Amino acid sequence: MPSQLPIPNGNGPAWALFLDVDGTLLNLAEHPDAVTVPEGLASLLNRLKTSLHGALALISGRSLASLDTLLGDAGLDGAGCHGAELRISGKKHVAAVSDDILPFVANRLTAMADAIPLTMVELKPHTIAFHYRPPILDSVAARRVALEAIGGEEKRLRLLDGKQVVEILPCDVGKGVAIATFLRNAPYHGRLPVFVGDDVTDEEGFDEVNNRGGISIRVGKTGPSKAVYHAASVAVVLSWLAGPVCNSLGCNSARGAP
């Protein structure tokens, strides 16, 4: 992978910009509620959105409600819960195909996790996150626990590995599917997709963007990835958005930038 972010050369206005949140726009924290939002981030995102004529969306494992809480209800488009809920041009769409079984799976997983130190079960509106910490559990053992908790519902639910987390989500949703849905709708349709993410959970998004000839960027320490480009840190991503990207779009990168 290249060692630097790509610098847009006049192509920024034709982009559809998709951004992961935790680990991409926000530094990771021990608990999802403990993240710190950089001052001016919501303003920067809104200026980018305006300059892109609305073609900016957050693509996150968090719920849309959680994203709105973090960013002060900025009114941004987004895919929450890995795409189980979408907001496109302000209109919300929900793929609640497995909501009826999630509480039962979460209860089973919680009962198992109670005996395992440094684990946490996070029941979201349409998905479940099983957080763990090595060396108590490694990724293989954590996945085994989550699979047992699914309890035969593999036709409706799937597992997705992340950074010290196993996500349980409906089989027919994911970040790649979410990006494809955005690109079928205005104002994203016909634009060049650009996706920035940091985790294994973002690989499906990178794959979708690459298949469309777009720009895929992986953030932070990384091994093999489908992303074509690499950004060293959240700080590098924010500087890139506030500098080269804003400059190419003609938005004021100084005011409100992190």
Side-chain angles (χ1 to χ4, degrees):
M1 291 181 296
S3 60
Q4 295 181 345
L5 282 165
I7 302 300
N9 295 314
N11 294 324
W15 284 3
L17 184 58
F18 301 104
L19 301 168
D20 175 50
V21 178
D22 293 87
T24 298
L25 299 178
L26 308 177
N27 285 307
L28 297 172
E30 282 295 315
H31 190 281
D33 293 338
V35 295
T36 300
V37 179
E39 183 178 356
L41 177 59
S43 173
L44 171 63
L45 293 175
N46 269 307
R47 288 185 286 112
L48 288 165
K49 172 187 172 181
T50 298
S51 298
L52 288 165
H53 303 285
L56 181 149
L58 304 177
I59 311 293
S60 178
R62 290 180 180 267
S63 67
L64 291 178
S66 174
L67 293 175
D68 288 344
T69 297
L70 284 174
L71 296 171
D73 194 14
L76 298 169
D77 280 354
C81 298
H82 296 277
E85 53 181 4
L86 302 174
R87 184 166 56 215
I88 305 175
S89 298
K91 295 181 180 180
K92 189 173 179 180
H93 311 267
V94 178
V97 294
S98 301
D99 284 5
D100 58 324
I101 61 173
L102 285 179
F104 301 101
V105 173
N107 287 338
R108 284 199 296 266
L109 185 56
T110 299
M112 299 166 67
D114 283 345
I116 307 173
L118 301 179
T119 61
M120 182 184 76
V121 178
E122 182 184 5
L123 177 59
K124 304 176 189 180
H126 312 291
T127 60
I128 302 168
F130 176 45
H131 301 270
Y132 63 92
R133 293 290 182 269
I136 303 299
L137 285 183
D138 61 16
S139 60
V140 174
R143 187 179 180 89
R144 188 182 305 119
V145 171
L147 185 61
E148 184 177 345
I150 288 178
E153 295 290 350
E154 290 89 345
K155 291 184 178 180
R156 299 180 64 187
L157 298 172
R158 69 182 180 108
L159 303 183
L160 189 62
D161 296 301
K163 292 178 179 176
Q164 298 184 6
V165 65
V166 179
E167 303 277 358
I168 300 174
L169 60 155
C171 286
D172 56 351
V173 304
K175 292 187 176 182
V177 174
I179 289 172
T181 302
F182 278 104
L183 292 170
R184 289 195 297 268
N185 290 272
Y188 303 88
H189 181 67
R191 289 173 168 265
L192 183 74
V194 179
F195 179 44
V196 190
D198 76 299
D199 203 348
V200 179
T201 60
D202 298 311
E203 291 295 323
E204 294 175 7
F206 297 147
D207 197 30
E208 180 66 30
V209 166
N210 290 344
N211 288 339
R212 295 171 178 267
I215 298 171
S216 54
I217 305 167
R218 179 84 179 257
V219 184
K221 295 180 180 178
T222 180
S225 174
K226 295 178 181 178
V228 176
Y229 295 95
H230 176 234
S233 65
V234 168
V236 170
V237 173
L238 296 179
S239 294
W240 176 68
L241 291 172
V245 176
C246 257
N247 291 339
S248 75
L249 293 171
C251 59
N252 182 356
S253 61
R255 188 178 60 209

